Amino acid sequence: MSSQTKFKKDKEIIAEYEAQIKEIRTQLVEQFKCLEQQSESRLQLLQDLQEFFRRKAEIELEYSRSLEKLAERFSSKIRSSREHQFKKDQYLLSPVNCWYLVLHQTRRESRDHATLNDIFMNNVIVRLSQISEDVIRLFKKSKEIGLQMHEELLKVTNELYTVMKTYHMYHAESISAESKLKEAEKQEEKQFNKAGELSMNLLRHAEDRPQRRSSVKKIEKMKEKRQAKYSENKLKCTKARNDYLLNLAATNAAISKYYIHDVSDLIDCCDLGFHASLARTFRTYLSAEYNLETSRHEGLDVIENAVDNLDSRSDKHTVMDMCNQVFCPPLKFEFQPHMGDEVCQVSAQQPVQTELLMRYHQLQSRLATLKIENEEVRKTLDATMQTLQDMLTVEDFDVSDAFQHSRSTESVKSAASETYMSKINIAKRRANQQETEMFYFTKFKEYVNGSNLITKLQAKHDLLKQTLGEGERAECGTTRIRGKLYRL
Amino acid sequence: MSSQTKFKKDKEIIAEYEAQIKEIRTQLVEQFKCLEQQSESRLQLLQDLQEFFRRKAEIELEYSRSLEKLAERFSSKIRSSREHQFKKDQYLLSPVNCWYLVLHQTRRESRDHATLNDIFMNNVIVRLSQISEDVIRLFKKSKEIGLQMHEELLKVTNELYTVMKTYHMYHAESISAESKLKEAEKQEEKQFNKAGELSMNLLRHAEDRPQRRSSVKKIEKMKEKRQAKYSENKLKCTKARNDYLLNLAATNAAISKYYIHDVSDLIDCCDLGFHASLARTFRTYLSAEYNLETSRHEGLDVIENAVDNLDSRSDKHTVMDMCNQVFCPPLKFEFQPHMGDEVCQVSAQQPVQTELLMRYHQLQSRLATLKIENEEVRKTLDATMQTLQDMLTVEDFDVSDAFQHSRSTESVKSAASETYMSKINIAKRRANQQETEMFYFTKFKEYVNGSNLITKLQAKHDLLKQTLGEGERAECGTTRIRGKLYRL
């Protein structure tokens, strides 16, 4: 049907096949290179991680030691001074308590960062080096299996080559047998045509017939022989073609299986446990960091609690208790009777009674005025104290802004210097605070003077009131003996 | 009533008064000392805190720089290698992603600790030095007010001394006038007794009478004079005593007020804002530390998320996509017809049909046996993989125990070396793991070999089935033209 020029020559077919095989071999080699490169990348990553954690561990240890040294420097100072001053914990003042807790937290941080070092060195790095071993071992084993897979593939394609060649051979033989048969058929036809002519010229050359009959027989015999040969070759060719076709299907199926499943399985063998082990390593690192954080948080909470309990009232009482002989009120001044004077009360009998009564009323009205005046001072004082308190308790301590991670790292640097703690703001606030404070002290002095005067006048007033009250009672009661006698 | 020996002498009273005053003066001086000492303790505390935070800031900066250097060392390495290998983010493998995030976290920690340094230096320390200024200024002002209070107290006690002395003087005069009056009364009595005798001897000495009468008159006059003097002195004494008693009450009230209220107010003046400002300083420190922690936590969460997303499947696909020309299946081997052979199908006509049919049945039963055998291998393989997976995903990464703060700091050191990560445990686990792994690989090879064979036989089987099926159909259908013609 198709002309001979369109047929691929044997050489072409072989060349094509070999090119295809070469391409597959190249891919297989490249696949190993890819797996090897992947393993090398992993080993490099693991090595980088080990180096990283080794150096990080060193940094944690340096940090831990610095913190330890820092805490110890102040703790030893406290120990030596404390033996002198604060032997008893009951006298621990709240700011000192905060300070001790800050030092305690520093020691805690020191220990935690030392633990971090320990975990990095003795756990994380050990894991990483084990994973490296695993990667090497698994790559080796996977390559072994891969090589076997490749051998198998090449074996299959070699077989294909062989059966293809066999098919080609038998087909060539089949063609050759066919052409020989055709040639015999042609000769037979020729003979047949001659026989036609012969029958027409039968009368002319009757003497030729015996020779011709033997020739026809010979040709027929040859044709039969060639027919048998052709059939035999055709069967061989059919069997070879069938074999070739079956092997072709098997080869394609094997190659397809390799590319679709086996390569993937091979990569899985290389990967075996890599991600899981790496995850566990990272989780160990995370566990350490999270635990450090939790510990840190607990410590900070203790400090925060102590800061919440900073209490000037309680500290004042502690100080006054500590030095109670200095702050306990002295004995009252007692009336000192002169030379056995038996009168030890204000005497309100006539003739001094009128004068005392007048003095009492004067005191009463003076006190009323003074109290109103001093109450005004007190109100101003309270308002000023409130203003001061507002200034002193302003919630200016939130530094979250400084920890916002914006794109540029530059913005971090100026975090604390731009806002509330800028020099201008500080100066303004402090000037304002000190002005208020000054006013408070002025008012406080005024108030103390006023209340001192009130206290003294009130004491006199109260004594007079009592005396005069008793005098009045005495007057309207029964007759009494002389003033100097009616009390011890 | 009481004998003269029991009276306190003037000197005694004065001495007692002076002792009492001296005691109060001593107390007042001691109170100032106490306040001063309190202020000095505070200044010392503030200085310690400043030193502490200055040194801590330095430690934070060192730590920050070490972390920065560490991150930069690996980041620059990545930048240079990345330009060659991983230009596109779509090819970022999940372990590499974790590694980048660990580096990112390191930079974040570096920045946060630098921020801590900044906040300690430019905020906490500034606050502390301001509080020191405040303590000094407030102590000065409070001492000023305290001195005024003390002066007032001494003024009051001086007044008391004066009025007491006045009372003593008038009382002494009153006693003297009384004794003089008593003497006059005695003389009068004597005169009266003489007058009694006189009346008995009246007849004997009648000539004496005029002289005696003038003497009696004289005595009476003197007695009256002394009576008036005594009354005058007694009034003066009463007034002086009243004054003394009123001043005594005022003095005691003033002293009491000072000890009960004023000293406390004075301490409050010294304390003014100290606790509040210190609390704000500590809260700034706490805010910085808490924020550092929050930032750290956020970063760790990002890493944890990346660790959760460690995915060998997706990485495998990424790698295969990256090198897709290496992993894409090659073209199928095509049937290569020889020299225009037009038969390109398995030929199942007689005489090969019987043989093919036999071969087909052989394949069928062989495949059934192989599949059963290989399924058994697959089950063992799966079970082994499950065992391996269990080993590989064991949750051995919790290191919380290392951060338990027991009493002794010694116990921290061995945290990671005692338990799961001890050398014996590691060795045991690894031996176990590798043994299982070895078994897995053996079974895997067995399975691959089996399935390779199955694939090839199955391909042949399927082709035969198709051919024979068609052959059967052809046989029981209409008469067909020669095999080599009935397909293109």
Side-chain angles (χ1 to χ4, degrees):
Chain A
M1 288 183 188
S2 39
S3 67
Q4 190 125 6
T5 46
K6 285 186 181 170
F7 301 156
K8 280 181 191 163
K9 286 175 188 163
D10 282 18
K11 277 188 183 170
E12 276 179 293
I13 290 171
I14 300 297
E16 255 177 40
Y17 169 85
E18 280 176 349
Q20 212 166 341
I21 290 292
K22 198 183 163 193
E23 203 171 299
I24 290 173
R25 276 174 180 272
T26 309
Q27 269 192 325
L28 297 183
V29 170
E30 287 297 319
Q31 281 168 11
F32 273 152
K33 273 192 192 160
C34 187
L35 285 185
E36 195 164 15
Q37 198 179 309
Q38 168 84 340
S39 296
E40 274 167 11
S41 298
R42 283 180 182 170
L43 289 173
Q44 185 58 54
L45 173 65
L46 291 163
Q47 197 189 311
D48 283 352
L49 281 168
Q50 280 183 71
E51 266 180 55
F52 173 83
F53 279 109
R54 187 166 292 118
R55 179 61 194 131
K56 185 141 205 294
E58 280 170 22
I59 293 171
E60 299 302 338
L61 195 61
E62 285 163 24
Y63 187 58
S64 165
R65 282 181 183 152
S66 298
L67 291 177
E68 174 61 34
K69 236 170 109 183
L70 175 64
E72 187 46 35
R73 178 169 138 201
F74 289 98
S75 296
S76 66
K77 192 174 170 185
I78 287 162
R79 273 196 298 275
S80 60
S81 74
R82 206 189 183 184
E83 280 164 13
H84 294 109
Q85 291 189 309
F86 300 102
K87 270 185 188 162
K88 289 162 195 170
D89 275 343
Q90 77 214 59
Y91 291 140
L92 191 66
L93 300 174
S94 59
V96 179
N97 185 39
C98 289
W99 168 223
Y100 289 177
L101 289 175
V102 167
L103 288 178
H104 187 263
Q105 172 73 355
T106 307
R107 271 193 300 274
R108 181 175 194 150
E109 283 175 23
S110 165
R111 277 205 304 279
D112 288 346
H113 283 272
T115 305
L116 220 53
N117 161 281
D118 185 34
I119 289 168
F120 289 170
M121 289 305 283
N122 298 315
N123 190 331
V124 173
I125 289 178
V126 174
R127 284 177 190 268
L128 289 168
S129 76
Q130 286 172 1
I131 300 175
S132 293
E133 285 171 30
D134 293 348
V135 165
I136 293 168
R137 192 181 63 254
L138 288 170
F139 174 68
K140 224 169 121 186
K141 284 196 182 167
S142 304
K143 196 175 176 182
E144 209 179 288
I145 291 175
L147 278 173
Q148 203 178 307
M149 286 173 173
H150 293 182
E151 273 168 24
E152 174 68 23
L153 273 192
L154 295 176
K155 203 181 95 189
V156 168
T157 53
N158 279 340
E159 273 172 26
L160 180 64
Y161 181 75
T162 307
V163 293
M164 183 178 76
K165 289 286 282 179
T166 308
Y167 153 64
H168 285 182
M169 191 180 75
Y170 284 126
H171 188 251
E173 279 175 13
S174 173
I175 286 171
S176 143
E178 192 181 24
S179 72
K180 276 181 183 165
L181 175 62
K182 274 183 179 160
E183 199 184 311
E185 280 172 344
K186 250 181 206 160
Q187 281 186 5
E188 190 190 32
E189 204 175 334
K190 221 189 238 167
Q191 199 67 35
F192 185 74
N193 288 346
K194 271 183 184 167
E197 276 171 45
L198 198 72
S199 59
M200 288 209 289
N201 301 337
L202 196 65
L203 302 171
R204 278 185 257 168
H205 311 286
E207 68 276 23
D208 291 344
R209 217 179 274 171
Q211 286 142 302
R212 280 185 191 263
R213 214 165 260 180
S214 104
S215 169
V216 165
K217 243 183 182 171
K218 208 177 162 190
I219 286 169
E220 266 180 5
K221 217 172 179 180
M222 186 186 73
K223 203 198 106 187
E224 264 165 31
K225 209 176 158 191
R226 289 192 177 176
Q227 178 68 52
K229 184 79 178 168
Y230 169 64
S231 292
E232 185 197 332
N233 281 342
K234 198 164 168 267
L235 180 62
K236 276 188 182 168
C237 173
T238 298
K239 281 186 176 176
R241 195 199 301 107
N242 279 354
D243 235 31
Y244 173 35
L245 281 163
L246 286 169
N247 265 293
L248 192 68
T251 304
N252 280 331
I255 291 175
S256 173
K257 172 179 178 279
Y258 172 80
Y259 276 87
I260 291 169
H261 301 291
D262 294 354
V263 163
S264 178
D265 288 350
L266 200 61
I267 296 178
D268 287 344
C269 284
C270 271
D271 285 353
L272 198 64
F274 175 73
H275 287 74
S277 301
L278 197 65
R280 278 155 62 218
T281 308
F282 279 126
R283 285 191 206 286
T284 306
Y285 152 72
L286 287 171
S287 172
E289 295 274 1
Y290 278 130
N291 275 293
L292 177 101
E293 198 192 285
T294 305
S295 170
R296 192 185 179 91
H297 196 95
E298 281 171 12
L300 291 176
D301 284 352
V302 173
I303 297 177
E304 193 174 46
N305 186 45
V307 172
D308 288 344
N309 289 327
L310 274 174
D311 184 356
S312 58
R313 269 184 99 77
S314 135
D315 283 349
K316 184 169 71 179
H317 293 136
T318 304
V319 168
M320 290 175 87
D321 282 352
M322 263 163 71
C323 321
N324 67 331
Q325 73 285 9
V326 174
F327 290 103
C328 83
L331 290 174
K332 284 197 169 189
F333 283 101
E334 295 287 336
F335 173 68
Q336 299 289 354
H338 184 256
M339 297 287 285
D341 184 1
E342 283 168 353
V343 185
C344 51
Q345 290 283 328
V346 174
S347 164
Q349 259 81 28
Q350 287 300 6
V352 292
Q353 190 186 34
T354 317
E355 195 192 319
L356 283 184
L357 212 58
M358 209 174 72
R359 201 169 163 190
Y360 171 67
H361 288 302
Q362 276 173 350
L363 276 173
Q364 207 164 31
S365 72
R366 179 92 195 277
L367 271 169
T369 313
L370 278 174
K371 279 178 179 172
I372 289 167
E373 283 171 9
N374 222 39
E375 190 49 35
E376 286 307 305
V377 178
R378 167 101 260 170
K379 278 177 189 165
T380 311
L381 196 64
D382 285 349
T384 313
M385 178 51 102
Q386 194 49 57
T387 309
L388 260 178
Q389 284 294 345
D390 290 347
M391 288 173 174
L392 289 166
T393 56
V394 60
E395 301 207 338
D396 59 353
F397 40 76
D398 182 2
V399 292
S400 349
D401 284 351
F403 289 88
Q404 296 306 316
H405 290 280
S406 62
R407 288 291 165 275
S408 84
T409 46
E410 301 308 309
S411 68
V412 172
K413 241 189 157 181
S414 55
S417 40
E418 259 178 22
T419 55
Y420 207 79
M421 289 304 287
S422 78
K423 283 192 177 163
I424 295 168
N425 270 333
I426 289 173
K428 214 191 274 176
R429 283 199 290 160
R430 286 190 68 71
N432 198 5
Q433 183 183 321
Q434 287 179 31
E435 201 180 309
T436 313
E437 190 184 289
M438 202 110 90
F439 183 70
Y440 177 80
F441 275 102
T442 310
K443 282 287 146 188
F444 179 69
K445 271 188 217 167
E446 204 178 320
Y447 176 74
V448 165
N449 287 340
S451 62
N452 276 345
L453 187 54
I454 288 168
T455 302
K456 288 186 289 181
L457 298 184
Q458 186 75 48
K460 289 178 177 176
H461 166 271
D462 291 353
L463 184 54
L464 279 179
K465 189 181 179 183
Q466 186 193 19
T467 306
L468 292 170
E470 276 172 4
E472 276 166 331
R473 256 181 284 133
E475 264 184 4
C476 57
T478 51
T479 315
R480 318 270 299 246
I481 48 171
R482 269 177 72 200
K484 70 167 180 176
L485 296 173
Y486 86 88
R487 287 245 161 152
L488 186 85
Chain B
M1 288 186 190
S2 43
S3 67
Q4 192 124 7
T5 49
K6 285 187 181 169
F7 300 158
K8 282 179 189 163
K9 286 177 187 160
D10 283 16
K11 274 187 186 172
E12 277 179 291
I13 291 171
I14 299 297
E16 255 175 44
Y17 169 85
E18 280 175 350
Q20 210 164 341
I21 289 292
K22 199 183 163 190
E23 202 172 300
I24 290 173
R25 275 174 181 271
T26 309
Q27 270 194 324
L28 297 183
V29 169
E30 288 298 318
Q31 281 167 10
F32 273 153
K33 273 192 193 159
C34 188
L35 285 185
E36 195 163 14
Q37 198 178 310
Q38 168 84 343
S39 296
E40 273 167 12
S41 298
R42 284 182 180 169
L43 289 172
Q44 186 58 54
L45 173 66
L46 291 163
Q47 198 189 310
D48 283 352
L49 281 168
Q50 281 184 70
E51 266 180 56
F52 173 85
F53 279 109
R54 187 166 291 120
R55 179 62 193 130
K56 185 140 206 295
E58 280 170 22
I59 293 170
E60 299 301 339
L61 195 61
E62 284 162 26
Y63 187 58
S64 164
R65 281 181 184 153
S66 298
L67 291 177
E68 173 61 34
K69 235 170 109 183
L70 175 64
E72 186 47 34
R73 179 170 138 199
F74 289 98
S75 296
S76 66
K77 192 176 171 183
I78 288 163
R79 272 196 299 276
S80 60
S81 73
R82 204 191 184 184
E83 281 165 11
H84 294 108
Q85 292 188 310
F86 300 102
K87 269 185 188 164
K88 289 163 193 171
D89 275 342
Q90 78 213 59
Y91 291 141
L92 190 66
L93 301 174
S94 59
V96 179
N97 185 38
C98 289
W99 168 225
Y100 288 177
L101 289 175
V102 167
L103 288 178
H104 187 262
Q105 172 72 352
T106 307
R107 270 193 300 275
R108 181 175 192 149
E109 282 175 24
S110 165
R111 276 205 304 279
D112 287 347
H113 283 271
T115 304
L116 219 52
N117 161 281
D118 185 34
I119 289 168
F120 289 170
M121 290 304 284
N122 298 314
N123 190 332
V124 172
I125 289 179
V126 173
R127 285 176 191 267
L128 289 168
S129 75
Q130 285 171 4
I131 299 174
S132 293
E133 284 172 30
D134 293 349
V135 165
I136 294 169
R137 191 182 62 251
L138 288 170
F139 174 68
K140 224 169 120 185
K141 283 195 183 167
S142 304
K143 195 174 177 181
E144 209 179 288
I145 291 174
L147 279 174
Q148 203 179 307
M149 287 173 173
H150 293 183
E151 273 169 24
E152 174 68 24
L153 272 193
L154 295 175
K155 203 183 96 191
V156 169
T157 53
N158 279 341
E159 273 172 26
L160 180 65
Y161 182 74
T162 308
V163 295
M164 183 179 75
K165 289 286 282 181
T166 307
Y167 154 64
H168 286 181
M169 189 180 74
Y170 284 125
H171 187 251
E173 279 175 13
S174 172
I175 286 171
S176 143
E178 192 182 26
S179 73
K180 277 184 183 165
L181 174 62
K182 274 183 179 158
E183 198 184 312
E185 279 172 343
K186 248 180 208 159
Q187 280 186 8
E188 190 188 34
E189 204 173 334
K190 223 191 239 167
Q191 198 67 34
F192 183 75
N193 287 346
K194 273 185 185 167
E197 280 171 43
L198 197 70
S199 59
M200 289 205 288
N201 303 335
L202 195 64
L203 300 173
R204 277 186 255 158
H205 310 285
E207 67 274 20
D208 289 347
R209 217 181 273 173
Q211 285 144 303
R212 283 182 192 268
R213 213 166 261 180
S214 102
S215 169
V216 166
K217 243 186 179 167
K218 208 174 163 190
I219 286 168
E220 266 178 3
K221 216 174 178 179
M222 187 185 74
K223 203 198 108 189
E224 266 166 24
K225 209 176 157 190
R226 288 189 177 179
Q227 179 69 53
K229 185 76 181 170
Y230 168 63
S231 293
E232 187 197 330
N233 281 340
K234 196 163 169 271
L235 180 60
K236 274 186 181 169
C237 174
T238 300
K239 281 185 176 175
R241 192 198 304 106
N242 279 355
D243 235 30
Y244 173 34
L245 281 163
L246 287 169
N247 265 293
L248 192 68
T251 303
N252 280 331
I255 290 174
S256 173
K257 172 181 180 276
Y258 171 81
Y259 276 87
I260 290 168
H261 301 290
D262 294 355
V263 163
S264 179
D265 288 350
L266 199 61
I267 296 177
D268 287 345
C269 284
C270 270
D271 285 353
L272 198 65
F274 176 73
H275 288 74
S277 301
L278 197 65
R280 278 155 61 216
T281 307
F282 280 126
R283 284 192 205 286
T284 305
Y285 153 72
L286 287 170
S287 171
E289 295 275 1
Y290 278 131
N291 274 293
L292 177 102
E293 198 191 284
T294 304
S295 169
R296 193 185 179 92
H297 197 95
E298 281 170 12
L300 292 175
D301 284 351
V302 172
I303 297 175
E304 194 175 46
N305 187 46
V307 173
D308 288 342
N309 289 327
L310 274 173
D311 184 356
S312 58
R313 269 185 100 75
S314 134
D315 283 349
K316 184 169 70 178
H317 293 138
T318 304
V319 168
M320 290 175 86
D321 283 352
M322 261 164 71
C323 321
N324 66 331
Q325 73 287 7
V326 173
F327 291 101
C328 83
L331 290 175
K332 284 197 168 185
F333 284 99
E334 295 288 335
F335 173 71
Q336 299 290 352
H338 184 258
M339 298 289 283
D341 184 2
E342 283 170 353
V343 185
C344 52
Q345 290 283 328
V346 173
S347 163
Q349 258 82 27
Q350 287 297 6
V352 293
Q353 193 184 32
T354 318
E355 195 191 321
L356 285 183
L357 211 59
M358 208 175 72
R359 201 171 163 189
Y360 172 68
H361 289 303
Q362 278 173 347
L363 277 173
Q364 208 164 29
S365 70
R366 178 93 194 277
L367 271 168
T369 314
L370 279 174
K371 278 178 179 171
I372 288 166
E373 283 171 9
N374 221 41
E375 189 50 36
E376 286 306 305
V377 179
R378 166 102 260 170
K379 277 177 189 165
T380 313
L381 196 64
D382 285 348
T384 314
M385 177 51 103
Q386 192 50 56
T387 310
L388 259 177
Q389 284 294 344
D390 291 347
M391 288 173 175
L392 289 166
T393 55
V394 59
E395 300 208 339
D396 61 351
F397 41 74
D398 183 2
V399 293
S400 350
D401 284 350
F403 289 89
Q404 297 306 317
H405 291 278
S406 61
R407 288 293 165 274
S408 85
T409 46
E410 301 308 307
S411 69
V412 172
K413 240 188 157 181
S414 55
S417 40
E418 261 179 19
T419 55
Y420 208 80
M421 290 304 286
S422 78
K423 283 193 178 162
I424 295 168
N425 270 331
I426 289 173
K428 213 189 278 177
R429 282 198 294 158
R430 285 188 70 70
N432 200 3
Q433 183 184 320
Q434 287 178 32
E435 202 179 308
T436 314
E437 189 184 289
M438 203 110 90
F439 184 70
Y440 177 80
F441 275 103
T442 310
K443 282 286 147 188
F444 180 68
K445 270 188 218 166
E446 205 177 320
Y447 176 74
V448 165
N449 287 339
S451 61
N452 276 345
L453 188 53
I454 288 169
T455 302
K456 287 185 291 180
L457 299 184
Q458 187 75 49
K460 288 178 177 177
H461 167 272
D462 292 352
L463 185 54
L464 280 178
K465 189 181 178 183
Q466 187 191 19
T467 306
L468 293 169
E470 276 174 5
E472 277 167 328
R473 255 181 287 134
E475 264 182 5
C476 57
T478 52
T479 317
R480 317 271 300 245
I481 48 171
R482 270 176 71 199
K484 71 166 179 178
L485 293 174
Y486 85 87
R487 286 237 165 166
L488 185 83

